[in-house]
Amino acid sequence: MAGKALVVIDVQNDFCPGGALAVDGGDEVVPVINRMMAEFDHVILTQDWHPADHSSFASQHEGKAPFTDIEMDYGPQRLWPDHCVQGSPGAEFHPELYVTSAELIIRKGFRRGIDSYSAFFENDHTTPTGLTGYLRERGIADLTLVGLATDFCVAFSAIDAVKQGFSASVALEACRGIDMDGSVDAMIARMKAAGVSVR
Ligand code: VGL
Ligand code: ZN
């Protein structure tokens, strides 16, 4: 048996209090996740990893404010404050996250013209990150997802995991959300409808 994997989504300084795109209580997930790691056969981390001129940054769009939406050629895209810039302190993992046991760190959002919420596909929903191939080749089929943010990268990753044929559950006590206009509840409903076990 190839066992079960804990997929830790974007537990990076910029998503923690004091960071550029801070999620309320984002740092609170760190001790919970560190404890959970011991229960899994494999730990995989994701890292949001944007070039400084990334097209998801409001600063790249004249007259556009963060947290508004634009239309990209691949569909709607929310604009964010500059965050998780490659090589910056904000892009580093939270200093207390136990990264040593991770077998894979998958970086995403590194192409200027396209964002990537999901650990599996960029926001065009077709460009793969390589995670599906990695998991299949290693025979890992049972995933638990945790991290930041519940309503964006965790949710899109979990939904894509099921679409790719993996079993996916989300442990909410180890997640925190951005939560704009009820987006956490909306994405929990979408995850459940997609076949994700949310607990
Ligand atoms: C995320 C917005 C922009 C996330 C990443 O990790 O949920 N959200 N980039
Ligand atoms: Zn991002």
Side-chain angles (χ1 to χ4, degrees), residues 9-10 15 21 48 50 56 80 83 108 115-117 148-150 152-154 178:
I9 304 290
D10 298 359
F15 297 121
L21 180 43
D48 211 38
H50 300 309
S56 77
W80 305 105
H83 65 279
K108 59 185 181 59
D115 206 1
S116 187
Y117 294 149
L148 308 171
T150 317
F152 286 91
C153 291
V154 174
I178 295 173

Side-chain angles (χ1 to χ4, degrees), residues 26-99:
D27 55 339
E28 294 166 10
V29 303
V30 173
V32 184
I33 291 171
N34 285 346
R35 273 195 300 276
M36 288 177 78
M37 284 178 179
E39 299 160 24
F40 287 81
D41 305 295
H42 311 283
V43 175
I44 292 166
L45 309 179
T46 70
Q47 191 171 27
D48 211 38
W49 194 249
H50 300 309
D53 60 352
H54 194 248
S55 58
S56 77
F57 297 169
S59 62
Q60 297 299 306
H61 303 269
E62 187 79 48
K64 294 287 182 186
F67 307 108
T68 61
D69 296 317
I70 58 163
E71 201 60 38
M72 298 288 280
D73 50 12
Y74 56 80
Q77 173 66 50
R78 180 138 312 163
L79 296 177
W80 305 105
D82 294 17
H83 65 279
C84 296
V85 172
Q86 295 170 358
S88 72
E92 294 302 311
F93 293 110
H94 185 286
E96 275 145 43
L97 183 70
Y98 185 60
V99 298

Side-chain angles (χ1 to χ4, degrees), residues 179-199:
D179 207 13
M180 299 167 69
D181 309 315
S183 54
V184 167
D185 285 346
M187 290 310 290
I188 288 173
R190 269 177 72 177
M191 285 192 276
K192 287 180 175 166
V196 177
S197 151
V198 182
R199 49 184 179 80

Side-chain angles (χ1 to χ4, degrees), residues 120-121 131-133 135-136 139-143 145 157-169 194-196:
F120 294 90
F121 291 104
L131 183 56
T132 299
L135 293 169
R136 287 208 186 123
I140 300 168
D142 184 354
L143 310 181
L145 296 97
S157 297
I159 291 166
D160 279 348
V162 171
K163 280 189 190 152
Q164 293 296 87
F166 301 104
S167 117
S169 80
V196 177

